[in-house]
Amino acid sequence: MSAKSMHMFNQLKTILLAITLGLVLDGCRTVRPPSPIVVAAPLDRANNMALGNPSSAAISDPENYLITRPQYVLSYSRSRGIANWVSWRLSTSWKGDSKRTNDFRPDPLIPAGWYAVRTSDYTNTGFDRGHLCPSDDRDATPEDNAATFMLTNIVPQAPRHNREVWKNLEDYERQLMSKGNDVYIIAGATGTGGTGQNGFATLLAGGKLTVPATLWKILVVVPTGTDNVFQITANTRVIAVNMPNAQTTADKPWQAYLTSIDALETLTGYDFLSNVPVDVQSVIEKQIDGGNS
């Protein structure tokens, strides 16, 4: 073989070796599939529990017993005799001119064998029968309004707390609705021991009815739309409050009790807004509302 031919042969061998080595190295590389695009599922606009079941309430758990009505959904504690939380949607479709029924009564959905709280359990106790889902949020029909007087939706509440500062927040919720919003609300009671007209108490009805230490509430404000679904974003307004169950709580406006959803999760152990994407939760749950009405 001539020197020229030998040179060309060596060049070709070098090129083939480089190509082979490149293919081997490429085969050794870790192949990472493209990251999936996560699209949050839209939430059901008509669902009273659209934001999620914060305590994973179920009919199998007596301390976290799920009761579902067209008007609201709640988690009930058998040992405490009150709801852990109540969830509902406030919108113009639930508003009307039906009169307040004042039909406080034991809840027929309480399982047989459980103690069902009665109106007489509140008599002369110094505590109001305080609504979690308000009567005024459900007055489209007499049946809707009557549903709010089930005693599973009621807690022993200091009278001034119920009639002043708590009521003022309820009125504000309806103002938000009248300005073109749907408001998704979760309200509950936690702890033991409140101060009513007759002083401090922890239990009523011979220990069957717990007086909560605080009442808390979360409002998620969503513009009203014609679609059957909606989505929560990092810019969605949320309002969270936690109010001690005492007469003196009414000495301040409800805005004095603003807190964050994160703080309420720490207090209750619940997972609020569980149907909302985690990256959105991480933004809105740590915020304390600044009053951007």
Side-chain angles (χ1 to χ4, degrees):
M1 182 181 292
S2 68
K4 183 176 180 182
S5 297
M6 179 63 71
H7 178 70
M8 291 179 63
F9 175 76
N10 287 337
Q11 278 188 325
L12 179 60
K13 199 160 77 167
T14 301
I15 293 170
L16 289 172
L17 180 62
I19 292 172
T20 302
L21 182 60
L23 290 172
V24 170
L25 290 174
D26 190 61
C28 293
R29 289 177 187 154
T30 301
V31 178
R32 294 183 175 87
S35 299
I37 299 174
V38 178
V39 179
L43 305 177
D44 181 356
R45 186 175 289 275
N47 187 354
N48 284 317
M49 203 166 60
L51 303 177
N53 182 337
S55 62
S56 299
I59 59 172
S60 59
D61 187 349
E63 296 308 312
N64 188 23
Y65 186 76
L66 185 67
I67 295 178
T68 302
R69 287 192 160 86
Q71 297 82 11
Y72 53 79
V73 180
L74 65 82
S75 162
Y76 182 77
S77 167
R78 179 183 182 181
S79 66
R80 288 168 62 82
I82 57 175
N84 300 309
W85 52 262
V86 180
S87 180
W88 71 100
R89 171 199 179 204
L90 174 59
S91 69
T92 54
S93 63
W94 288 103
K95 291 295 296 170
D97 55 7
S98 292
K99 297 184 182 300
R100 180 183 171 98
T101 63
N102 277 325
D103 185 20
F104 291 99
R105 63 200 187 280
D107 193 334
L109 297 184
I110 293 292
W114 292 19
Y115 180 77
V117 175
R118 301 165 295 182
T119 56
S120 59
D121 291 332
Y122 284 83
T123 304
N124 298 324
T125 63
F127 290 94
D128 278 2
R129 295 166 295 188
H131 284 74
L132 291 176
C133 177
S135 164
D136 282 354
D137 282 9
R138 294 290 183 263
D139 55 9
T141 69
E143 293 76 19
D144 288 340
N145 189 259
T148 68
F149 289 88
M150 295 292 179
L151 287 167
T152 49
N153 181 48
I154 305 298
V155 299
Q157 191 171 3
R160 287 192 61 209
H161 186 297
N162 179 39
R163 304 172 196 179
E164 297 177 41
V165 63
W166 193 253
K167 179 182 181 298
N168 290 342
L169 177 56
E170 292 173 342
D171 290 342
Y172 183 69
E173 295 159 15
R174 289 185 285 273
Q175 289 176 27
L176 291 171
M177 179 205 67
S178 68
K179 292 179 180 179
N181 298 292
D182 289 350
V183 188
Y184 292 84
I185 306 169
I186 308 168
T190 192
T192 301
T195 305
Q197 282 181 326
N198 301 341
F200 183 79
T202 58
L203 299 168
L204 308 177
K208 298 182 179 70
L209 178 58
T210 296
V211 178
T214 71
L215 280 78
W216 52 263
K217 184 175 285 189
I218 295 168
L219 287 68
V220 178
V221 186
V222 179
T224 300
T226 56
D227 292 341
N228 293 328
V229 297
F230 69 99
Q231 287 185 310
I232 302 295
T233 73
N235 294 319
T236 297
R237 186 183 181 191
V238 297
I239 303 169
V241 299
N242 187 34
M243 301 184 189
N245 189 17
Q247 293 283 78
T248 55
T249 298
D251 292 343
K252 299 177 182 179
W254 64 262
Q255 291 89 342
Y257 303 100
L258 286 167
T259 187
S260 67
I261 294 177
D262 278 345
L264 290 181
E265 288 185 332
T266 299
L267 175 71
T268 62
Y270 300 152
D271 180 15
F272 297 113
L273 313 190
S274 58
N275 285 351
V276 176
V278 174
D279 58 337
V280 176
Q281 289 186 53
S282 66
V283 174
I284 63 177
E285 290 190 357
K286 67 182 178 183
Q287 297 176 346
I288 297 177
D289 182 64
N292 54 324
S293 56

